[in-house]
Amino acid sequence: QNAKDITTFVLRLLSLSEKEIRTIIPQGPIRDFLIDELQVLKFKPKRMTGSFRFDLAVVGPPDSHHPLKLLEINEIGFDGLARSTFFQKTLLSLIPELKSRVIAFDTAAAEVRNMQRLGPQIARVQYDSYNWDEEYLLQTAEKMGAKVHLVSRCTQHEFCFRFIWLQKRSLSLFETDTFKNPQYGPFITGLVASKTILILLADPLLRKRLLGSSNKIQNSILPAFSLEGERDHVLKHGGELVLKHCDGFGGEQVFMDRDLIRNLKKITPKQEHEWVMQQKTRLNTLDVNGILSRPKRAISDLGVFVQYDWENGQYRHFEVGGLMSRATNKGLKVNVSSGGLQVAVMLERGV
């Protein structure tokens, strides 16, 4: 329910008028590029279909008294979606007795099913090369009767980020009407993948307006605020906070403790609005025994994948399509690309 409420919050936000969105979402490099250069608000789609990955902190025993805490929202471009399915299926093939004891979400299949709501042919375009996560998604799609075209190292229109679009008839790349085809994870969703969404989710008045109650999801939201005008407060309480650039950069621009103070000094007053402060929380740990490492204890988060199809202010479809966990013992940030590992998440069946 929390996952659905968070999704509802961001989709209702994106459904507001252009003037309201410009007023509510704070300025930042990607926000300004999307609104002013790509004009995503001028050409806002009536139907939004795509997926998010919510990175959540598990703090304390995993029960109803210890709700998960939202660390950030990721949209199109995140990794781990198809990989989580691969890891789970591999474990179940190696330990077949687990099959009767657990429920494992097929995240890759959930993603393909949601894509198929828009069309049978899928073109994924990105500037850089693909990794095996996308290759496994391609294999899954083919088994389900969908055709996926992976296009990379494309310079036309100076694409510098990923997008997916689908077409109901024949596939033809880079024609004049390319962007008239429905997009999966449309460009506009990039507005809510910015770290500034954490500030908006923490606003009780905005929660009341978009969710009907300021109490909804409040126990899952960590307090967050803009660095702008709060430098003295941050210097005084730096040990309790996390410094995040609004556009993330794959976790590279996230700082805590001494790194927070050191990088705070590099931020000019004109850049303060680009940085978000979030309350620090202690993540639970896991005992892990990685394939290429020795047994160790590592901090971990929980990734929750949601697939949505939204039109005229309501859902045509919504599901929690998968779960994954990342773990690391190399620092205070959980990030696979900076030296962590991915752990399969399966649910134990009731007795």
Side-chain angles (χ1 to χ4, degrees), residues 5 61 75 96 119 130 133 164 177-178 183 186 191 201 204 229 240 246 260 280-281 285-286 333 348:
D5 286 341
E75 46 91 56
Y130 292 93
D133 191 278
I164 297 177
D177 62 349
T178 292
Q183 290 183 37
L191 292 173
L201 284 162
E240 306 165 14
C246 63
L260 183 154
K280 185 194 293 184
T281 188
T285 60
L286 289 175
K333 295 185 291 184
E348 187 175 13

Side-chain angles (χ1 to χ4, degrees), residues 199-257:
I199 300 173
L200 304 183
L201 284 162
D203 186 336
L205 294 179
L206 203 51
R207 290 202 304 271
K208 184 175 182 179
R209 179 180 179 186
L210 298 177
L211 295 177
S213 171
S214 59
N215 294 326
K216 279 192 175 181
I217 68 173
Q218 68 170 345
N219 292 330
S220 293
I221 301 301
L222 293 167
F225 57 91
S226 172
L227 172 62
E228 189 170 19
E230 299 291 341
R231 187 180 292 261
D232 291 341
H233 174 80
V234 172
L235 285 170
K236 184 176 180 180
H237 301 280
E240 306 165 14
L241 300 168
V242 180
L243 174 68
K244 298 183 176 184
H245 189 271
C246 63
D247 295 325
F249 299 103
E252 293 182 7
Q253 298 295 311
V254 177
F255 305 104
M256 286 171 274
D257 298 337

Side-chain angles (χ1 to χ4, degrees), residues 9-20:
F9 180 98
V10 300
L11 294 178
R12 283 181 177 168
L13 173 61
L14 295 177
S15 299
L16 296 175
S17 68
E18 177 177 351
K19 182 179 180 181
E20 289 176 303

Side-chain angles (χ1 to χ4, degrees), residues 206-321:
L206 203 51
R207 290 202 304 271
K208 184 175 182 179
R209 179 180 179 186
L210 298 177
L211 295 177
S213 171
S214 59
N215 294 326
K216 279 192 175 181
I217 68 173
Q218 68 170 345
N219 292 330
S220 293
I221 301 301
L222 293 167
F225 57 91
S226 172
L227 172 62
E228 189 170 19
E230 299 291 341
R231 187 180 292 261
D232 291 341
H233 174 80
V234 172
L235 285 170
K236 184 176 180 180
H237 301 280
E240 306 165 14
L241 300 168
V242 180
L243 174 68
K244 298 183 176 184
H245 189 271
C246 63
D247 295 325
F249 299 103
E252 293 182 7
Q253 298 295 311
V254 177
F255 305 104
M256 286 171 274
D257 298 337
R258 292 180 180 177
D259 286 341
L260 183 154
I261 301 301
R262 183 163 52 248
N263 284 276
L264 183 65
K265 296 176 181 178
K266 301 177 184 178
I267 301 171
T268 67
K270 290 184 178 181
Q271 296 172 325
E272 286 183 355
H273 72 281
E274 298 180 9
W275 292 86
V276 173
M277 307 305 308
Q278 186 179 36
Q279 180 180 299
K280 185 194 293 184
T281 188
R282 289 185 174 274
L283 283 72
N284 279 9
T285 60
L286 289 175
D287 291 317
V288 297
N289 188 357
I291 296 172
L292 300 177
S293 65
R294 293 173 292 180
K296 63 185 69 174
R297 172 158 288 194
I299 62 171
S300 64
D301 67 357
L302 181 69
V304 176
F305 296 97
V306 301
Q307 282 77 30
Y308 63 85
D309 188 0
W310 175 271
E311 187 174 25
N312 296 325
Q314 60 185 4
Y315 288 106
R316 296 167 63 112
H317 174 74
F318 176 86
E319 70 174 305
V320 173

Side-chain angles (χ1 to χ4, degrees), residues 32-196:
D32 295 344
F33 175 76
L34 289 171
I35 292 178
D36 300 329
E37 299 296 327
L38 288 189
Q39 297 186 330
V40 296
L41 299 182
K42 183 178 180 180
F43 302 101
K44 185 165 60 173
K46 295 181 180 179
R47 181 181 179 185
M48 291 182 281
T49 308
S51 58
F52 294 120
R53 189 189 78 207
F54 300 144
D55 290 345
L56 304 167
V58 185
V59 184
D63 56 34
S64 59
H65 301 293
H66 297 84
L68 302 170
K69 304 291 186 179
L70 180 68
L71 298 173
E72 63 183 48
I73 296 176
N74 300 273
E75 46 91 56
I76 195 64
F78 52 70
D79 282 327
L81 186 147
R83 197 181 312 154
S84 61
T85 294
F86 178 82
F87 287 166
Q88 291 168 4
K89 288 187 174 180
T90 300
L91 283 172
L92 293 175
S93 68
L94 294 172
I95 316 174
E97 59 268 26
L98 276 178
K99 293 180 180 179
S100 61
R101 296 174 48 193
V102 300
I103 298 171
F105 291 174
D106 191 337
T107 320
E111 186 79 346
V112 173
R113 283 196 305 271
N114 205 37
M115 290 176 172
Q116 288 178 310
R117 298 178 65 84
L118 295 179
Q121 293 210 61
I122 305 160
R124 179 160 184 158
V125 184
Q126 68 183 53
Y127 177 77
D128 204 352
S129 58
Y130 292 93
N131 60 35
W132 66 272
D133 191 278
E134 286 98 354
E135 293 289 344
Y136 190 77
L137 182 67
L138 183 151
Q139 295 174 23
T140 302
E142 290 181 342
K143 291 178 182 178
M144 298 174 65
K147 182 64 177 176
V148 175
H149 305 260
L150 299 181
V151 185
S152 64
R153 301 202 177 279
C154 173
T155 58
Q156 187 160 348
H157 304 306
E158 298 182 350
F159 289 131
C160 59
F161 45 86
R162 309 176 184 193
F163 76 89
I164 297 177
W165 60 269
L166 301 97
Q167 186 165 313
K168 295 181 179 179
R169 301 182 181 86
S170 60
L171 181 69
S172 178
L173 290 174
F174 304 125
E175 293 182 352
T176 305
D177 62 349
T178 292
F179 290 98
K180 294 180 182 179
N181 292 295
Q183 290 183 37
Y184 187 83
F187 287 135
I188 193 172
T189 60
L191 292 173
V192 296
S194 168
K195 300 298 185 293
T196 53

